[in-house]
Every structure is written in C-alpha cells, then in structure tokens.
Amino acid sequence: MNATVSGPDATPNGKVTFVGAGPGAADLLTLRAAAAIGAADVIIWAASLVHPDVLEHARADAEIVDSALVPMEGVLPYYERAAREGLRVVRIHSGDPSLWGAVQEQLDRAEELGLETEIVPGVSSFSAVAAIAGRELTIPEVAQSVILTRLGGGKTPMPERESVRAFAAHGTTMALFLSAARSGRLQEELLEGGYAPETPCVVAYRATWPDELVLRCRLDELAETVRANKLWKHTLVLVGPALGAHGTRSHLYHPGHFHGYRRADRTARRELRASR
C-alpha cells in the first residue's frame, strides 16, 4: 500500500496519504486511518461526502481544507507545498479509495512531485449496507459473486461492455452506486437484463450516518421506492436473489470437509461427496 522514495541519500519530500473514511460513521475508520489523520499537517476532505466526526482525530494545529469547494486544480497546490516543505497531507475519501475515488490521477501527480504516497483502505458502503440489512451477499448455490457498478449515462462515461443490463444477465448480487437519480432507468435495465420482478432489493441512504434510511422492496418497486423517499444522492442499491435467500450448508464448516488444521469425519466425508 506504500510507494516510497528510498536510498542512502534520499531526503524527505513530504507524503500524501489517501484515507478511506468508510460509509460515514467515524468509528468505522480503521486504526491506521485514524493514526494517519492524527499525524497530518494538512487534511483535505469533502464535507459533502464525509461525516465531520472523522476530523475529531485531527491535531488542533492541522490545516483543514474542504475539497468539495474546489476542483482538482485547487487540491494540487497543497501537494506541491507538501513536496517543497516536507509536509504530511491526508486526503480523506468517502468509502474506499479504490472505488470511484479519482485516486489514480492524484497518485500520478504525487509521483511526479516526488511525494511518498500511501493508501489506507476504508469500509465500502456496499459492505456497510449488507451489515445493516443483516444479509450475506454470497449464499452457496444462490450467488457466489458480487458485481460493483454504476448506471451508464452519467457524468463519467461507462465502457461499452459494462452496462447494468449486461451485468444483470449473471443473476448474482449487484451493488449499484451513483445511480439513484435515474431509478426508473436502473429498474428497467435490471429487469431487461434478466432479474425477475420479485428479486429483492435493499435501498440505503447515508448508510451508518445518524439520518440513515434503509428500505427493502421488490425490483419492480425499486423506482417507486426511490422516488417516494426522494433519494437522489448518497444512495446505494443492492439487488439479487441472495438478499432474500436462506443460508445453505457451507462445505467449509461441514464435518466432512478437511483442511490443514482439521481432519474430516469419514462418514460425513462420504455423505458430502455423495451430495455433490
């Protein structure tokens, strides 16, 4: 998770740490994330996306910058100053920086400036919503994959082969980000892709925030549910049969399964093999 400049003659040129703030609740920050925030000279965060409680970890003398008010060109000067003055900068991203975080372009720029960089992963909202809903997203014999995607046609173009309709054909669990504002089209593409109208959905607004709202509905009720609750932003949709399925017996914990730390019961092993 680190990219560093090293060598016997290397001098500190500053560091930028990209921190995943998680879905909202400040106590879902990792210990590493809290430590990075506490050590930062400059903290850049998006007040529109990140809960202010995460700033409780900041030093009293840290410089706080709201990135929601500026474009990328407004953030780069802080990286340039960090390179000149050897400052520690923390860039706080909502959720996990690896998902729709616009991190790569910042990493490229930091590398050009000779800055040390680090990425601290965060809890993604899709896993937070699954936890709130009390659901496992991968149920044996029902769904063993999770597709993370967004509806095409927004501000960022989607690759041609990555349409919601195409992904829906797999029939597995999907987590749909940045799509609630066009819930009618979202519902249409999911149905046209192959999901049954009664497929369960979970719609979550500001998951883990004090004002969170988590709703359950059928897929053919998705657009109506989103519109009735005026959920345009900060909303994630989970869809798939696993959201309504009961757990099936996992082979991992079956007495007939063996691994490096446990022997299989012979009778149970025969039964397990016969069931396949």
Side-chain angles (χ1 to χ4, degrees), residues 23-85:
D27 59 357
L28 284 177
L29 281 174
T30 65
L31 294 173
R32 185 176 299 183
I37 293 171
D41 301 301
V42 180
I43 298 172
I44 304 171
W45 74 305
S48 60
L49 298 172
V50 177
H51 197 282
D53 283 356
V54 303
L55 297 178
E56 293 178 358
H57 300 283
R59 299 196 326 248
D61 63 338
E63 182 177 356
I64 310 295
V65 180
D66 184 0
S67 64
L69 305 175
V70 295
M72 180 67 169
E73 286 73 12
V75 173
L76 289 177
Y78 293 96
Y79 296 170
E80 294 165 354
R81 181 154 64 92
R84 290 194 308 269
E85 302 176 17

Side-chain angles (χ1 to χ4, degrees), residues 70-158:
V70 295
M72 180 67 169
E73 286 73 12
V75 173
L76 289 177
Y78 293 96
Y79 296 170
E80 294 165 354
R81 181 154 64 92
R84 290 194 308 269
E85 302 176 17
L87 300 177
R88 290 169 295 184
V89 176
V90 160
R91 179 72 163 87
I92 302 178
H93 286 258
S94 60
D96 183 88
S98 68
L99 298 174
W100 298 284
V103 169
Q104 193 58 54
E105 59 190 286
Q106 298 181 72
L107 287 167
D108 293 344
R109 184 60 180 139
E111 182 179 354
E112 292 172 5
L113 293 169
L115 287 163
E116 180 184 352
T117 60
E118 179 182 8
I119 299 175
V120 179
V123 176
S124 176
S125 56
F126 84 89
S127 56
V129 172
I132 294 168
R135 298 301 312 183
E136 182 179 353
L137 303 181
T138 53
I139 303 293
E141 300 178 35
V142 178
Q144 287 292 284
S145 304
V146 179
I147 297 172
L148 313 179
T149 191
R150 51 178 288 271
L151 186 63
K155 296 178 182 178
T156 303
M158 289 287 286

Side-chain angles (χ1 to χ4, degrees), residues 254-257 264-275:
H254 194 285
H257 178 74
D265 177 84
R266 291 183 178 181
T267 302
R269 181 68 178 168
R270 288 193 294 270
E271 293 174 355
L272 183 59
R273 285 178 173 176
S275 68

Side-chain angles (χ1 to χ4, degrees), residues 209-275:
W209 289 58
D211 59 344
E212 75 174 13
L213 178 64
V214 179
L215 305 165
R216 292 171 173 80
C217 65
R218 292 165 43 116
L219 176 53
D220 57 5
E221 301 168 337
L222 176 61
E224 178 185 354
T225 300
V226 171
R227 291 168 181 164
N229 290 276
K230 300 179 180 179
L231 305 179
W232 318 125
K233 297 181 179 181
H234 311 298
T235 301
L236 176 80
V237 175
L238 296 178
V239 60
L243 298 173
H246 294 290
T248 57
R249 184 65 189 267
S250 168
H251 287 186
L252 178 61
Y253 298 108
H254 194 285
H257 178 74
F258 67 91
H259 51 66
Y261 295 92
R262 190 182 74 216
R263 290 185 176 183
D265 177 84
R266 291 183 178 181
T267 302
R269 181 68 178 168
R270 288 193 294 270
E271 293 174 355
L272 183 59
R273 285 178 173 176
S275 68

